[in-house]
Amino acid sequence: MNRRLSGESFFTRDKEFYRVMFPMLLTVALQNVVTYSVNMADNIMLGSYSQASLSGAATVNQIFFLMQQFAISVGNTLVALSAQYWAKENVAPIRTLTGIALKLGAIVSVIVIALCCAFPTAVLSLFTNDAQIIAEGKSYLLLVVWSFLPFVLTQTLMAMLRAVKTVNISFYVSAISLVINVGVNYVLIFGKLGFPEMGVRGAAVGTLIARVAELLIVLVFLLKKDKKVRLLQPGLFRRDATLRKDYIKVYIPIMCSTVLWGVSVPMQTAILGKLSADAIAANSVATTFYQYLKVVVVAMSSISGVMIGNAIGKGDTARIRSDARTLACIDVLIGLVLGAALVLLRRPLLSLYELNDAALRMSDHLIVIMAFIMVGMSYQMPVSFGIFSGGGDGSFTMKMNLISTWLIVMPLSFMAAFWWKLPVEWVVVIVQSDQIFKCLPTYLHFRKYNWMKTLTR
């Protein structure tokens, strides 16, 4: 299987591939930047209002992060199936699959909303024992939790649009959401323009209004502009046991992989948060820069699933392999560029912060570490979460994340921080090490090409 097929080129020579891929990459990356900026705006505004409000909202955001991972798994499953049907110019199953995904998203969202409303204190106590933070977090949670349902529905619909290569609407939705969220936050957090000063509850209202606006914009687009899928025609919620079985079969490994990784992130943050005040500040600064550049990698993961799904749907094995190799090599180049950018820009960026000498020095070290981590992550994440999932093989990534994260990284991280008491820099190396060593199994599995699976009927 490792030998190239006769007449098969190593890289894709079809100019249309690049004309489609690069605009999609730019659009989705910009959308991710804007989406991340929404959270940053909340943090900045609440941070200038009060530390307790910021901490309360940050605690609730741990719950939202898990909901976000759930939405990603629902959307990625929909992309894996829909992209193949789109390549076959078979639209009817896409409508039905979208209905299945929407129903799954709605059911889980309602369950989470019910739990958060019935037991808010108990839920927040999973993340902190500070009574003041829990009180502020409860005020934020009881309002912002209602944004979970429109958020999941919006992300599912935008995943469907991404599968049929309609991506511009995602950027516009995110940009409008940012403007609405910042505007409402400013008015309600601080009590401007005659409105009451609501503090952390004002931030929750801003988020809720922005999420509802996102959903309404997407629905209007689907109703008035979309000519590809015509989602709102009959068939959206048609019962189809075969397609539902197909969806669940693909969804389970993708969901397990996403959740296994997603649950580990707050735990890794908590480990670093227990070390020292300087470690918390340094990790916060380094992670901020890292996350902003990471949006390109996340975008590459998203569009890789679409490109490979389309290629498999067309049934050209040689083209699938060359498309995948092209994407994987672009992943490496992106990682090298982003890693170099982190190293070169770290001093100017650090000059924007007022940190003591120890925290500043530690931040500098952590950014350099993150630069190397970025290179590994830029390869293995788009290949495992993009190419493999888009190819219909989510089981490999699920097994890899189970072993690497929960059997290797998490135990070693706890030992490094609390048993061996290593310096913060070495703890961060261990916490992030899976982004490097997962590259080898990812590459070996990639070279087998047995991740290419036809999911359509």
Side-chain angles (χ1 to χ4, degrees):
M1 285 294 291
N2 288 335
R3 291 179 299 173
R4 276 186 279 152
L5 302 178
S6 177
E8 175 187 346
S9 62
F10 186 87
F11 293 119
T12 295
R13 296 177 181 176
D14 184 4
K15 294 180 180 179
E16 182 65 19
F17 173 88
Y18 301 99
R19 280 197 293 264
V20 170
M21 189 207 72
F22 284 115
M24 283 181 65
L25 175 61
L26 178 61
T27 302
V28 176
L30 287 173
Q31 176 211 339
N32 291 341
V33 168
V34 173
T35 301
Y36 186 63
S37 297
V38 172
N39 295 332
M40 287 297 296
D42 280 356
N43 288 343
I44 292 171
M45 289 185 173
L46 286 174
S48 64
Y49 183 76
S50 81
Q51 182 173 333
S53 296
L54 174 61
S55 299
T59 302
V60 175
N61 283 337
Q62 300 295 320
I63 303 169
F64 174 74
F65 176 77
L66 296 178
M67 283 300 298
Q68 189 178 41
Q69 300 312 302
F70 165 73
I72 289 172
S73 66
V74 171
N76 284 350
T77 304
L78 184 58
V79 166
L81 288 156
S82 298
Q84 292 193 22
Y85 277 110
W86 178 248
K88 293 179 178 293
E89 299 181 358
N90 189 357
V91 176
I94 298 176
R95 284 197 288 268
T96 304
L97 287 164
T98 304
I100 293 169
L102 289 171
K103 284 186 281 188
L104 174 61
I107 290 169
V108 173
S109 297
V110 169
I111 292 172
V112 173
I113 290 170
L115 288 173
C116 290
C117 289
F119 311 104
T121 303
V123 171
L124 292 169
S125 296
L126 297 173
F127 301 95
T128 181
N129 295 321
D130 188 293
Q132 186 179 10
I133 293 177
I134 289 176
E136 289 290 313
K138 184 177 178 180
S139 296
Y140 185 74
L141 176 63
L142 291 176
L143 283 172
V144 83
V145 71
W146 297 102
S147 71
F148 289 0
L149 177 58
F151 171 78
V152 172
L153 296 181
T154 301
Q155 295 303 308
T156 302
L157 292 172
M158 290 200 295
M160 180 277 296
L161 290 170
R162 191 165 65 246
V164 299
K165 300 181 179 178
T166 301
V167 295
N168 289 343
I169 181 64
S170 300
F171 170 71
Y172 295 131
V173 166
S174 298
I176 293 171
S177 174
L178 175 62
V179 173
I180 292 173
N181 195 41
V182 171
V184 176
N185 278 3
Y186 174 75
V187 170
L188 295 184
I189 291 176
F190 303 103
K192 303 294 184 179
L193 304 179
F195 285 87
E197 182 180 330
M198 297 177 64
V200 71
R201 295 179 72 248
V205 173
T207 299
L208 176 56
I209 292 175
R211 298 305 183 202
V212 172
E214 288 175 354
L215 180 58
L216 291 176
I217 294 168
V218 173
L219 289 175
V220 170
F221 175 83
L222 290 170
L223 183 64
K224 300 291 186 180
K225 297 292 185 180
D226 176 52
K227 304 300 181 184
K228 293 181 177 179
V229 181
R230 300 182 185 275
L231 185 68
L232 302 182
Q233 286 188 354
L236 175 60
F237 295 113
R238 176 174 61 89
R239 291 188 176 184
D240 190 316
T242 301
L243 285 176
R244 184 171 64 249
K245 182 180 178 181
D246 289 346
Y247 185 91
I248 295 302
K249 181 180 179 180
V250 177
Y251 171 72
I252 289 175
I254 290 178
M255 181 272 295
C256 291
S257 179
T258 304
V259 171
L260 282 170
W261 176 79
V263 172
S264 72
V265 173
M267 294 184 65
Q268 292 170 347
T269 302
I271 290 172
L272 295 173
K274 296 290 184 181
L275 298 180
S276 70
D278 288 342
I280 296 173
N283 184 62
S284 176
V285 171
T287 302
T288 297
F289 301 151
Y290 177 77
Q291 293 291 350
Y292 258 113
L293 294 182
K294 182 182 173 182
V295 298
V296 181
V297 181
V298 175
M300 195 64 189
S301 299
S302 297
I303 68 167
S304 293
V306 175
M307 302 300 288
I308 293 300
N310 285 165
I312 290 178
K314 292 174 182 175
D316 185 344
T317 302
R319 177 61 187 269
I320 299 167
R321 291 156 63 103
S322 62
D323 282 2
R325 284 192 293 267
T326 302
L327 290 168
C329 290
I330 292 173
D331 294 336
V332 175
L333 291 175
I334 288 174
L336 292 171
V337 170
L338 295 180
L342 269 178
V343 173
L344 295 174
L345 296 175
R346 72 187 193 280
R347 298 289 169 79
L349 292 171
L350 286 175
S351 67
L352 301 175
Y353 288 82
E354 292 292 334
L355 301 174
N356 62 47
D357 291 343
L360 189 64
R361 183 168 56 254
M362 192 181 298
S363 298
D364 184 78
H365 295 168
L366 294 188
I367 292 174
V368 173
I369 292 170
M370 290 296 191
F372 287 96
I373 298 299
M374 180 70 77
V375 178
M377 183 195 65
S378 296
Y379 171 75
Q380 67 85 17
M381 179 182 285
V383 173
S384 61
F385 281 100
I387 293 175
F388 294 165
S389 295
D393 179 13
S395 60
F396 171 81
T397 305
M398 177 186 70
K399 295 171 185 176
M400 182 175 68
N401 281 338
L402 173 62
I403 294 171
S404 64
T405 302
W406 292 100
L407 298 184
I408 300 175
V409 171
M410 293 305 298
L412 287 177
S413 298
F414 274 102
M415 287 188 285
F418 307 121
W419 188 1
W420 302 326
K421 299 187 183 301
L422 296 181
V424 172
E425 290 87 347
W426 281 107
V427 175
V428 170
V429 168
I430 293 173
V431 165
Q432 298 287 348
S433 61
D434 62 321
Q435 301 295 342
I436 300 296
F437 67 70
K438 283 194 296 192
C439 290
L440 180 58
T442 298
Y443 173 76
L444 294 176
H445 187 65
F446 176 86
R447 291 294 298 161
K448 293 177 182 177
Y449 295 104
N450 58 3
W451 43 263
M452 300 184 295
K453 303 180 186 298
T454 301
L455 304 176
T456 55
R457 293 181 181 270

